[in-house]
Amino acid sequence: DGWFRAANRQIEHIAVQNPDDDPNLTHLIDRDIYDLDHVAIHRIGNLTFLSGTENPAIGSAPWPKKLFFYWSLTNRGTDGHVSRQDLFSSLGINALPPSLQGLSESADFVNHLAPLVQYGLEHNTWTLAAIQRRGENLADRAFTILGDWRL
């Protein structure tokens, strides 16, 4: 039922559409994502669902801030096996939106972000390869599920 929550009405880009917004974090940007026609950032592997409250709270933040935000939503404001402060420090983050704590504590079903968090805990950068692998996985799952609808 969580996949169909009414709050899942907005699509969020995981890799930011404008990577130069935060020059302090450019070393964590995979430039291959931003090919000449900017197609990769709009691929299904680079998209996720968020609510109308969650989506604007993170906006066009770079990967480290989004990862911390996704981590907070999947942990609902509590520490998981990685402590909040350790993750915050390891990502080189100086500040987050003040609304994050309240959002993470009141979030409904955000488990679909867990694979992104797991990837982020293992990799510093969201990459074109990750977008491609995730897109293939999502397409394969959709094909398998929708295959049952064939006439």
Side-chain angles (χ1 to χ4, degrees), residues 1-146:
D1 290 340
W3 284 106
F4 300 104
R5 73 178 178 140
N8 276 347
R9 296 283 190 247
Q10 293 190 15
I11 295 179
E12 163 71 11
H13 286 83
I14 299 166
V16 297
Q17 295 182 59
N18 300 306
D20 298 324
D21 288 348
D22 192 342
N24 296 325
L25 299 173
T26 56
H27 65 288
L28 298 174
I29 294 171
D30 178 2
R31 292 288 173 188
D32 290 340
I33 294 170
Y34 304 97
D35 55 12
L36 294 176
D37 55 8
H38 289 278
V39 172
I41 59 171
H42 301 299
R43 290 184 183 158
I44 193 169
N46 189 47
L47 302 174
T48 192
F49 292 111
L50 288 178
S51 75
T53 305
E54 296 156 0
N55 195 4
I58 196 61
S60 61
W63 169 247
K65 289 183 181 180
K66 284 189 179 188
L67 172 58
F68 191 84
F69 185 77
Y70 298 161
W71 179 89
S72 296
L73 290 176
T74 59
N75 286 294
R76 303 225 167 125
T78 62
D79 286 352
H81 72 278
V82 175
S83 80
R84 176 180 299 268
Q85 190 55 46
D86 287 348
L87 182 58
F88 198 78
S89 298
S90 71
L91 295 172
I93 300 173
N94 297 327
L96 284 169
S99 60
L100 178 63
Q101 186 68 28
L103 280 172
S104 62
E105 290 171 354
S106 65
D108 295 329
F109 190 82
V110 288
N111 295 345
H112 63 282
L113 297 174
L116 297 173
V117 172
Q118 184 62 42
Y119 174 88
L121 293 175
E122 296 170 5
H123 303 87
N124 288 337
T125 306
W126 183 243
T127 65
L128 178 60
I131 291 170
Q132 291 169 332
R133 282 192 312 271
R134 186 168 181 266
E136 289 170 8
N137 186 343
L138 291 169
D140 184 53
R141 289 172 184 241
F143 179 79
T144 302
I145 292 168
L146 296 176

